[in-house]
Amino acid sequence: MNLSLTVNPVYNDTIVAEICKGDSYTLNGFNQSIAGFYSQHLYTSKGCDSIVNLSLTVNPVYNDTIVAEICKGDSYILNGFNQSVSGLFSQHLYTSKGCDSIVNLSLTVNPVYNDTIFASICKGTSYNLNGFNESNAGFYTQNLNSYLGCDSIVSLNLTVNPSHVTEIFDTICNNSSYNLNGFNVNATGIYTLYLKTYLGCDSTVNLNLFSRLYNDTINASICKGEIYNQNGFNEKNTGIYIQKLKSINGCDSTITLNLTVNPTYNDTITAVTCNGQSYNQNGFNENIAGTYTRQLKTINGCDSIITLKLHSPSYSDTIYASICQGEMYTLNGFDVMNNGIYYRALQSINGCDSTIFLNLHVNPIYNDTIEASICKGETYNQNGFIISEEGIYSRTLQNIYGCDSILTINLTINPNYKDTIFASICKGEVYHENGFYADSSGIYKLDLNCMYGCDSLVILNLKAKPIYSDTIDAVICNGQIYNEYGFNENQTGLYIQHNNSFFGCDSITYLNLSVIEYPKLDLFLNDEQVVDEFPITLDASCENCSEYYWSTGETTSIINVYNQGKYYVKASNICGITYDSLLILTPEIALYLPNTFITSQMTNNSFGIYTDYKDKIEIISFKIYNRWGTIVFETNDIDKFWDGTYEGKYLNSDLFVWLLHYKTKYTGNKIFEKKGDVRLIR
């Protein structure tokens, strides 16, 4: 007997393999997802022992978040990103081992500030707030950095308000006081008042005060023996007389009387007539020698006595005659034009010697000018004039001697004054200047007389300015100081300031100040949470926070989430920004598929899927292939197992490959794939 013996080998092989975290190694009959060293005892096709070892390394999967800030207008270009707007951005990469690597960028874009300050100063002072030191009107700029390191441009629009100097010229009476425009003085001179304009700048008022004295002169004449008793005088002799009076303004008034006493005349005419003849000149009609008298008036209206002494028979007559200046006396054989006494020796028709004397008086021609004034709207109707317009007017008259007399009037029209005073007081005050007494807004009138005695109307347009009471509601962060509108406070409370409005009236400002804390955010005690049922609610509410931004794009403090993953939230208030995140995990669903089953045993005689999470899994397909690729078993029922038959017949011992596709209730529509092999033994 011959023995042909074949010794079949026994295999002991080691597979060195790597997978990524979350994956499973399902080749060569293994189904492992944790790093380690695993062994399988198999049989070769010849029925010999075969040991397959698996040295498995699980490489990590990375999911990192970068929190970064940039300034508006810049871009974040690190770590493969190129972003310029705030948001949450992700990149899916691969590690050097080929595993998933997710890099998240939480980017905040900080603002760039460009503020303009509008301010005003008085001329001669400087604006030295907010880093400026300027004294001239203009537009100035400073380039700074905000506390976040971004550009900050501060512009100053500076106005320089003027300081005013006002000159007042006025008069007062002796021993009286001037109390207008804030002054109260009783002597002439130059006074200065230092005030503030409504813009708070220096205002200088200079008062030039003069004395208001009247000194008038009256030129008058009377006849000798008369008394001048007008204008308060009682005088009868030539001379200068003075009276001290009061003007309509109550000031001293001096009137000087320059009095002329015109003489009364007593003249004698001596005349000669022939016997039987009459003397009938110069108002006489006498034919008998003797002395005769007549009462007349001089050119000044005074008494004049003419006495005629008549002699006879020798004639000697005197003619008293007058002509107007520039005329010629041509009567009685005379031809003369100047003052004087002239004579002619004649013979009367009666043969009497006759001597004619001419006592010639040349009367002047008058050209007088009257300086007169009336108030506007009145008529001047004296001295033969009736006029109401300003100007120079003339009239040609006859004087008492019958000579031409030209009278000229220079008429001045004095105005009626109408002045308006614009003034303001604070509510509750009384305006009592310039003769008024008023305590409310309105238009008031006062009828006066000007220094010429004409009507003067003063109108007061008075505004009563309000008293203000404002309330400011403000919020600051803990540690800050509220220093606007004159306050300097750092605690919650109600504060009061008493100021003046720009009208100079009382202004009360209330500050209702709230001090809040910087935002604090802590979603959960731990950074991750395992969730079995969805949806769940995430609450990021924090005290005094006003804005929220989730990595989901939602902007409320509370959101609902429906899937596992890492959720980021940013919360902010006026004091700052805070961040937090939470990783939501689902329970790991473990599946177990054996690598060997024996159809002839009472137990372990079928092949299928073993798990404690049947209600969490949906089988898409479960297929088993023989070594030639034929599907020998297929199902989508997790409870259905393969009994080792194909088309109703048990198959021989062999190695079969299986392929599983399934979904879980935690992963939505994501389909997982597992594969491996199983050895059937009969």
Side-chain angles (χ1 to χ4, degrees):
M1 177 182 293
N2 292 320
L3 175 62
S4 177
L5 181 62
T6 300
V7 179
N8 294 314
V10 173
Y11 295 98
N12 191 337
D13 295 326
T14 297
I15 301 169
V16 178
E18 295 181 6
I19 60 171
C20 297
K21 184 178 180 181
D23 291 343
S24 296
Y25 182 85
T26 57
L27 299 176
N28 303 299
F30 291 96
N31 185 9
Q32 302 295 334
S33 59
I34 300 174
F37 191 83
Y38 304 93
S39 296
Q40 281 199 87
H41 292 272
L42 305 174
Y43 293 97
T44 67
S45 58
K46 301 297 186 178
C48 297
D49 288 336
S50 176
I51 299 173
V52 178
N53 301 306
L54 172 63
S55 177
L56 184 62
T57 300
V58 178
N59 295 314
V61 173
Y62 294 98
N63 191 335
D64 296 326
T65 297
I66 300 169
V67 178
E69 297 182 7
I70 59 171
C71 296
K72 185 176 181 181
D74 293 342
S75 295
Y76 182 87
I77 55 175
L78 301 175
N79 304 300
F81 290 95
N82 186 2
Q83 302 295 335
S84 59
V85 296
S86 295
L88 185 64
F89 307 93
S90 297
Q91 283 199 90
H92 291 273
L93 307 174
Y94 290 98
T95 66
S96 60
K97 302 294 185 177
C99 296
D100 289 338
S101 176
I102 299 174
V103 179
N104 299 306
L105 170 64
S106 178
L107 182 62
T108 299
V109 178
N110 294 318
V112 173
Y113 295 97
N114 190 338
D115 295 327
T116 298
I117 301 169
F118 291 88
S120 63
I121 59 172
C122 296
K123 185 176 181 180
T125 63
S126 296
Y127 181 89
N128 52 15
L129 300 176
N130 303 300
F132 291 95
N133 188 13
E134 305 295 340
S135 58
N136 296 319
F139 193 83
Y140 304 92
T141 300
Q142 282 200 87
N143 292 310
L144 307 172
N145 281 332
S146 69
Y147 74 97
L148 296 170
C150 297
D151 290 339
S152 176
I153 299 174
V154 180
S155 300
L156 171 63
N157 190 345
L158 184 62
T159 301
V160 179
N161 296 317
S163 298
H164 295 281
V165 178
T166 303
E167 297 287 341
I168 299 174
F169 295 88
D170 211 337
T171 59
I172 61 171
C173 301
N174 286 340
N175 300 320
S176 63
S177 296
Y178 179 91
N179 54 11
L180 300 177
N181 303 302
F183 291 93
N184 187 11
V185 294
N186 56 14
T188 60
I190 299 176
Y191 302 92
T192 300
L193 204 59
Y194 297 99
L195 306 173
K196 292 288 185 181
T197 68
Y198 74 97
L199 296 170
C201 297
D202 291 338
S203 174
T204 303
V205 181
N206 296 316
L207 171 63
N208 299 270
L209 193 60
F210 304 95
S211 177
R212 187 190 301 155
L213 294 175
Y214 296 97
N215 197 342
D216 294 330
T217 299
I218 300 172
N219 293 309
S221 64
I222 59 173
C223 295
K224 185 176 180 180
E226 294 179 348
I227 295 176
Y228 182 88
N229 56 9
Q230 298 180 31
N231 301 302
F233 292 95
N234 190 20
E235 306 295 339
K236 63 181 180 178
N237 297 319
T238 297
I240 297 175
Y241 304 91
I242 297 174
Q243 276 203 92
K244 301 287 187 179
L245 305 174
K246 291 289 184 182
S247 69
I248 61 173
N249 295 313
C251 296
D252 291 337
S253 176
T254 302
I255 300 180
T256 301
L257 172 63
N258 187 1
L259 183 62
T260 301
V261 179
N262 294 316
T264 57
Y265 294 96
N266 193 340
D267 294 330
T268 300
I269 300 171
T270 301
V272 177
T273 62
C274 293
N275 288 334
Q277 294 180 343
S278 297
Y279 180 84
N280 54 10
Q281 297 180 30
N282 301 300
F284 292 96
N285 189 13
E286 307 295 338
N287 57 9
I288 299 173
T291 301
Y292 305 92
T293 300
R294 288 194 70 201
Q295 300 286 334
L296 302 174
K297 293 288 185 182
T298 67
I299 61 174
N300 295 312
C302 298
D303 290 339
S304 177
I305 301 173
I306 300 179
T307 302
L308 172 63
K309 292 183 177 183
L310 185 62
H311 300 279
S312 186
S314 296
Y315 296 100
S316 179
D317 294 331
T318 299
I319 300 171
Y320 290 90
S322 63
I323 61 174
C324 295
Q325 185 178 355
E327 293 181 349
M328 184 73 71
Y329 184 86
T330 59
L331 299 175
N332 303 300
F334 291 96
D335 191 10
V336 292
M337 60 184 298
N338 295 317
N339 276 322
I341 299 175
Y342 304 90
Y343 72 93
R344 290 187 73 198
L346 302 173
Q347 198 167 35
S348 70
I349 60 173
N350 296 317
C352 297
D353 290 336
S354 177
T355 303
I356 299 177
F357 292 91
L358 173 63
N359 189 344
L360 184 63
H361 181 74
V362 179
N363 294 313
I365 294 174
Y366 293 99
N367 192 340
D368 294 329
T369 298
I370 299 172
E371 300 288 341
S373 65
I374 60 173
C375 295
K376 185 176 181 181
E378 295 180 348
T379 300
Y380 181 87
N381 55 8
Q382 300 179 32
N383 302 301
F385 292 95
I386 301 177
I387 50 180
S388 59
E389 298 290 336
E390 188 171 83
I392 299 175
Y393 303 89
S394 297
R395 289 189 72 203
T396 302
L397 307 172
Q398 295 287 320
N399 62 20
I400 61 175
Y401 306 109
C403 297
D404 289 339
S405 177
I406 300 175
L407 181 61
T408 301
I409 182 168
N410 185 3
L411 184 64
T412 301
I413 306 295
N414 293 318
N416 294 320
Y417 291 98
K418 182 180 179 182
D419 294 326
T420 299
I421 300 171
F422 292 92
S424 64
I425 59 174
C426 295
K427 187 176 181 181
E429 295 180 347
V430 176
Y431 181 88
H432 49 73
E433 298 181 10
N434 304 301
F436 291 96
Y437 190 88
D439 60 1
S440 60
S441 295
I443 296 177
Y444 305 87
K445 296 181 180 179
L446 202 60
D447 292 307
L448 305 172
N449 282 331
C450 69
M451 59 182 290
Y452 305 109
C454 298
D455 290 337
S456 176
L457 176 63
V458 180
I459 298 174
L460 171 63
N461 189 340
L462 183 63
K463 301 291 185 183
K465 304 298 183 181
I467 296 175
Y468 294 98
S469 177
D470 295 325
T471 299
I472 300 169
D473 291 305
V475 177
I476 62 172
C477 301
N478 188 17
Q480 294 181 341
I481 296 176
Y482 183 88
N483 55 10
E484 298 183 16
Y485 305 104
F487 290 96
N488 189 21
E489 308 297 339
N490 62 0
Q491 300 292 328
T492 296
L494 181 64
Y495 303 92
I496 301 175
Q497 270 211 90
H498 294 273
N499 301 316
N500 282 334
S501 68
F502 71 94
F503 299 117
C505 299
D506 289 339
S507 175
I508 300 175
T509 303
Y510 296 92
L511 171 63
N512 187 8
L513 183 63
S514 296
V515 179
I516 66 173
E517 299 292 335
Y518 286 85
K520 295 181 180 179
L521 187 62
D522 192 2
L523 276 177
F524 294 95
L525 297 177
N526 300 313
D527 292 335
E528 60 182 41
Q529 180 179 348
V530 177
V531 176
D532 185 55
E533 293 291 338
F534 288 96
I536 66 167
T537 298
L538 301 184
D539 187 351
S541 301
C542 66
E543 185 178 1
N544 297 318
C545 291
S546 57
E547 294 183 359
Y548 299 88
Y549 184 80
W550 293 83
S551 54
T552 61
E554 294 171 277
T555 57
T556 58
S557 60
I558 300 174
I559 66 170
N560 291 324
V561 297
Y562 298 86
N563 296 299
Q564 65 178 355
K566 195 163 189 177
Y567 294 88
Y568 299 88
V569 64
K570 176 178 73 174
S572 63
N573 60 17
I574 63 171
C575 298
I577 300 173
T578 185
Y579 299 90
D580 202 356
S581 63
L582 178 65
L583 177 62
I584 302 297
L585 301 173
T586 56
E588 183 177 356
I589 296 178
L591 299 180
Y592 174 71
L593 286 86
N595 56 15
T596 303
F597 73 102
I598 303 172
T599 59
S600 60
Q601 291 184 351
M602 295 297 295
T603 60
N604 194 25
N605 58 3
S606 62
F607 174 72
I609 303 169
Y610 297 90
T611 181
D612 294 330
Y613 300 95
K614 289 185 178 182
D615 57 336
K616 306 290 191 299
I617 295 176
E618 177 187 353
I619 302 300
I620 304 301
S621 67
F622 179 44
K623 299 177 181 180
I624 300 175
Y625 300 85
N626 62 18
R627 65 176 64 244
W628 296 281
T630 302
I631 298 175
V632 298
F633 177 79
E634 182 177 9
T635 186
N636 59 4
D637 184 355
I638 195 170
D639 293 321
K640 190 175 182 179
F641 282 62
W642 181 43
D643 59 2
T645 63
Y646 175 63
E647 294 181 350
K649 297 180 180 180
Y650 285 100
L651 298 178
N652 293 323
S653 297
D654 204 347
L655 187 65
F656 297 85
V657 175
W658 55 267
L659 180 63
L660 172 64
H661 292 95
Y662 65 96
K663 295 191 298 185
T664 74
K665 65 174 293 184
Y666 305 120
T667 56
N669 291 323
K670 182 178 180 181
I671 297 176
F672 295 92
E673 180 182 276
K674 284 184 175 292
K675 53 188 175 180
D677 53 42
V678 59
R679 178 168 296 280
L680 183 151
I681 301 176
R682 273 190 74 185

